[in-house]
Amino acid sequence: MSRGKRWGVGALVAVLAVGVAFGLWWAEHMNGIEIARGPVRTLSPQDLVQPGEHRMRVVDDHRDALMTRLQMIAAARESIDMSSYIWRDDRSGRAVFAALLAAARRGVRVRLLGDGVFFQRDPTVVRAMAAAHPDLVLRYYNLQAEEVAALDPGILDEVLTEFASFNHRMHVKVLIIDGQQALFGGRNIGNEYFGLNQEYNFVDRDVVVEGPLVEKVREAFVMFWNSDQSVDPRTAADMDVEPASIDWGAASMELDTQAIGDHWYRPQRAGVVFDPLPADDTGAAFDEVQRSARALGGLLLTAQRRVAMETPYVILSDYMQRVFSGLRGREQPPSVTVWTNSLAAAVTWHGYVGFQHQLPELVLELGFDIRLHRPQALRDLATDAATRVAMHSKTYLVDDRWAAVGSFNLDPRSGRWNSEILLLVDDRAFTAELQQGFARRSAVERNWVVARRRDPSDTGAKGWAAGLDLPDGEEIQERLGLLRRVSCFELDCEESVQPDSPRFYECYRDVGLLPEVGQQTRKNVFTRLLAPVGDELAPVL
C-alpha cells in the first residue's frame, strides 16, 4: 500500500474514532438542549422581507454561472467583494482569479475572502494569489493550525481539542460588484461547479440580485472581512515557500455573453438572512440553532399545502425534526417532497450515513416523498460532457408563494456550525419558476423514489448487513429492522403514482436502498457499516 493510501486509511480510522467518541458526548450533552424540550423558536418570514425595487435572476445553467461571474467582474468600476468556501486551482479557478486581477489592474479595489480550511490550499499558489497586485487583497477566515494546508495529520489535534472552532466554517459564497449587484447561492469556485470537471459535475443554483438587498449581502461579507479570525494567509506557518509561477493572462477565459440569461424578476417582497459570528469569534460558543435555521424553520411552518426542497444533504437536526413533526401533526399536513442525492450520485459517502440512518423515520413517520438523484440525469444543467452528475443546489419552496435560495443545506452543520446566507422571496411569479424547475429536477423518471418496502422480510431487505460484522446490540438490530422497511423504487410503467397509492407496486420496481452502487465499493460498505450509528457520527461526517 502506498504512503498516500496508508495515510488516507489511517486518517479515516482516526476521524471515525473521534466521531464515535464525539458522538457519545453529543448524545449525552447536546440532544437535551432547550429546543429538544421546548417550543420551536423561529423567525417569521414576514418580518425578514421588505418591499422595494428588487430585481433578480435565477442562474441554473453551468455555462451561465461561470460567464455571469466573469461578466460581473469585467463590469466592475470601483469595488469587488468576493467570498468562497472552496476555490480550486483549476481552469475555472484561474480564470476567475485572472478576471479579478484584471479588475485590480484597472483600478478596482478587490477583496477576496476564503474559508480557512477548504479554500485554495496549495501554499505556493496561495502566495502567488496574495502577491498578485496591491489592490487585490486576499484573506482567510478561521485558519486551523495556522496553516493554509491544514488538512494533514496534525489537524486531528484541532478536531479533538477545538471541535466547535474547526466546524465553524464560512460557507457563504458571494460576489458583490460596486455595491450595486450581488450573486450568491450554492456554487463554489471549481471546475465541477461550471461543467468543466472530467469526472463529476454539479447541478446547482445561484441568484443575481440588484436593489436594496445588495447592501444586506455586503453586510455579511464585511462582517467576515473585519473579523479577528480573517487573516492574511502569508502569515500562516506553512507559507515560507516560493510563489508558483502562474501566467494569469494565459488563464483568462473568453466571455461568452450568449450563455448568460436575461430573464429578470421584480419580486414584491424579498429579504436576506445570514448568520452572525459566534460570540467569541471562534465558533466555540455555537451551542444553539443559528439564525438561518430559525428563518428557514419559520418559513416551513407557514406551509399550508406543500413544501418542496432541493438539498444535497438531508440529516435532520433536533430542531428540524421538531419543525417537520409540527407540520406532520396537523389535521391536514402539507405534502413534503425532497430532491436529494442518491449514494450513486453523491461525491462522497460521508454525508449519506446520517441520511440513511434517518431514512425510515423520514418516510414512515414524517411522510417525506423523497426523490433520489440518479448520476446520469440532468447533464444539460451540469455539464457538456458525459460525466457523473451530482446535485448541489439548496432551494426551499413553500406553497405557491415563498422561496428560499442560498447556501443552507438541510443538515446539522448548516443549522448549528457553518455560517450561511439565505435569500427569502415572497413572490408568486418568482416561486413559480423555481417550482417548474423543481418539477423537472425531481421528476420520477429521472430519480429513484423512496417508499415503504412491500415485504420487509424478503431477501433483498435482509441483504443490508450481508458481509458486515455488525455488533449484536439491541439498538443496532432495531435500526436494521427499520432500514428493511424502506427501499428505492424505479418507475417501471408509463404512469407515475404516489407511494401511498394502491397501484404503486404495479408501477414501480424495487431496486434496493443503494441502487447502482457496487456491493464491495467503499461507498457501499462504509454506508452500510455506519448507518446504524449514523446519528452519533453525523456531526463529524
Side-chain angles (χ1 to χ4, degrees):
M1 183 183 292
S2 70
R3 179 181 180 185
K5 288 185 177 180
R6 285 199 303 271
W7 155 238
V9 173
L12 176 62
V13 171
V15 169
L16 292 180
V18 172
V20 172
F22 182 79
L24 298 175
W25 178 88
W26 172 274
E28 180 180 353
H29 292 84
M30 302 303 285
N31 285 343
I33 60 179
E34 183 177 354
I35 59 171
R37 299 192 303 268
V40 180
R41 291 176 290 165
T42 66
L43 297 175
S44 168
Q46 300 284 359
D47 297 334
L48 298 173
V49 296
Q50 60 185 4
E53 294 298 319
H54 309 300
R55 190 168 179 258
M56 57 188 63
R57 180 172 69 85
V58 177
V59 182
D60 282 348
D61 181 79
H62 62 285
R63 295 176 298 272
D64 187 357
L66 181 55
M67 292 302 133
T68 292
R69 285 164 169 81
L70 296 179
Q71 182 190 55
M72 290 174 65
I73 294 170
R77 293 295 174 262
E78 298 178 0
S79 65
I80 298 173
D81 292 331
M82 187 173 189
S83 65
S84 187
Y85 179 62
I86 292 171
W87 193 293
R88 308 282 190 210
D89 182 32
D90 55 20
R91 183 184 176 194
S92 64
R94 291 198 174 190
V96 174
F97 189 82
L100 294 174
L101 179 57
R105 286 171 174 167
R106 65 176 184 266
V108 177
R109 183 203 67 189
V110 180
R111 299 189 293 189
L112 179 58
L113 181 63
D115 177 73
V117 171
F118 294 101
F119 198 74
Q120 175 55 241
R121 296 179 53 250
D122 184 333
T124 66
V125 176
V126 175
R127 181 163 283 280
M129 294 170 69
H133 195 277
D135 288 335
L136 196 164
V137 182
L138 175 63
R139 290 184 183 177
Y140 274 44
Y141 177 79
N142 195 15
L143 278 173
Q144 297 297 303
E146 298 183 356
E147 296 181 348
V148 299
L151 289 181
D152 60 15
I155 199 62
L156 292 178
D157 292 339
E158 301 288 328
V159 176
L160 282 167
T161 62
E162 302 290 344
F163 188 85
S165 176
F166 175 80
N167 269 284
H168 174 48
R169 309 291 4 130
M170 186 203 69
H171 200 234
V172 173
K173 314 99 180 269
V174 302
L175 173 60
I176 308 163
I177 304 298
D178 296 336
Q180 302 297 312
Q181 190 177 60
L183 176 146
F184 59 105
R187 289 182 175 92
N188 296 292
I189 302 299
N191 282 349
E192 60 267 36
Y193 300 94
F194 306 114
L196 301 174
N197 192 290
Q198 297 304 306
E199 297 180 7
Y200 68 92
N201 289 278
F202 287 123
V203 177
D204 216 325
R205 173 172 289 131
D206 303 307
V207 178
V208 181
V209 300
E210 296 175 354
L213 296 179
V214 176
E215 180 56 32
K216 197 70 175 178
V217 179
R218 185 177 176 276
E219 281 182 31
F221 177 89
V222 171
M223 177 186 71
F224 286 108
W225 186 263
N226 290 336
S227 166
D228 291 340
Q229 291 295 308
S230 291
V231 300
D232 184 335
R234 288 173 292 188
T235 64
D238 57 350
M239 287 293 286
D240 186 19
V241 295
E242 290 295 321
S245 179
I246 300 175
D247 184 350
W248 296 112
S252 298
M253 189 176 293
E254 184 178 355
L255 182 63
D256 177 11
T257 58
Q258 297 300 312
I260 299 174
D262 61 358
H263 190 64
W264 291 82
Y265 286 90
R266 295 184 181 275
Q268 297 176 356
R269 297 194 304 160
V272 171
V273 180
F274 59 88
D275 295 318
L277 295 174
D280 66 357
D281 213 16
T282 68
F286 270 8
D287 59 357
E288 63 176 31
V289 176
Q290 294 224 66
R291 182 175 173 81
S292 59
R294 295 192 189 283
L296 182 58
L299 178 63
L300 293 171
L301 286 172
T302 68
Q304 298 298 314
R305 296 181 302 280
R306 61 181 177 179
V307 170
M309 302 184 290
E310 296 183 13
T311 171
Y313 313 107
V314 181
I315 307 172
L316 297 190
S317 64
D318 288 345
Y319 179 80
M320 284 300 174
Q321 287 179 35
R322 293 186 68 84
V323 168
F324 286 106
S325 292
L327 290 176
R328 186 64 174 173
R330 293 178 183 174
E331 184 176 346
Q332 293 184 319
S335 65
V336 178
T337 306
V338 184
W339 181 57
T340 190
N341 280 311
S342 64
L343 183 61
V347 177
T348 68
W349 56 268
H350 309 88
Y352 212 79
V353 169
F355 168 62
Q356 203 68 35
H357 181 92
Q358 293 185 353
L359 194 58
E361 285 83 1
L362 296 178
V363 175
L364 303 177
E365 295 183 16
L366 294 178
F368 279 23
D369 178 1
I370 299 177
R371 314 292 176 85
L372 298 182
H373 177 59
R374 302 173 71 166
Q376 301 305 319
L378 298 172
R379 284 184 186 163
D380 57 323
L381 285 178
T383 180
D384 296 323
T387 62
R388 182 162 58 98
V389 173
M391 65 85 63
H392 195 255
S393 54
K394 307 96 166 53
T395 299
Y396 305 86
L397 307 173
V398 174
D399 296 331
D400 298 316
R401 173 178 175 181
W402 288 96
V405 182
S407 63
F408 191 100
N409 295 311
L410 196 62
D411 65 6
R413 177 174 293 282
S414 284
R416 179 177 297 277
W417 287 300
N418 284 354
S419 287
E420 310 288 359
I421 189 167
L422 272 174
L423 169 70
L424 299 180
V425 181
D426 177 10
D427 186 82
R428 293 184 180 276
F430 182 83
T431 302
E433 177 181 343
L434 296 183
Q435 290 278 16
Q436 291 176 4
F438 180 83
R440 180 192 177 203
R441 295 180 180 201
S442 65
V444 293
E445 59 268 21
R446 293 189 173 93
N447 298 271
W448 292 299
V449 176
V450 183
R452 184 187 300 270
R453 191 187 290 270
R454 192 171 196 174
D455 181 5
S457 64
D458 67 23
T459 304
K462 293 181 178 180
W464 175 264
L468 300 179
D469 186 18
L470 291 174
D472 293 327
E474 182 178 338
E475 291 185 4
I476 298 294
Q477 295 306 314
E478 181 181 353
R479 178 55 46 181
L480 290 174
L482 288 172
L483 286 166
R484 292 177 184 130
R485 295 177 61 189
V486 294
S487 190
C488 296
F489 292 82
E490 183 175 304
L491 184 66
D492 198 30
C493 64
E494 295 183 0
E495 178 187 6
S496 63
V497 297
Q498 293 299 310
D500 58 358
S501 167
R503 298 190 59 244
F504 177 78
Y505 301 107
E506 299 175 18
C507 295
Y508 288 82
R509 178 171 60 92
D510 189 337
V511 292
L513 268 177
L514 305 177
E516 293 187 12
V517 181
Q519 185 84 355
Q520 300 305 315
T521 62
R522 181 172 59 179
K523 290 171 71 171
N524 188 306
V525 170
F526 277 122
T527 299
R528 291 187 294 125
L529 181 66
L530 298 174
V533 291
D535 266 7
E536 285 72 23
L537 288 174
V540 173
L541 296 177

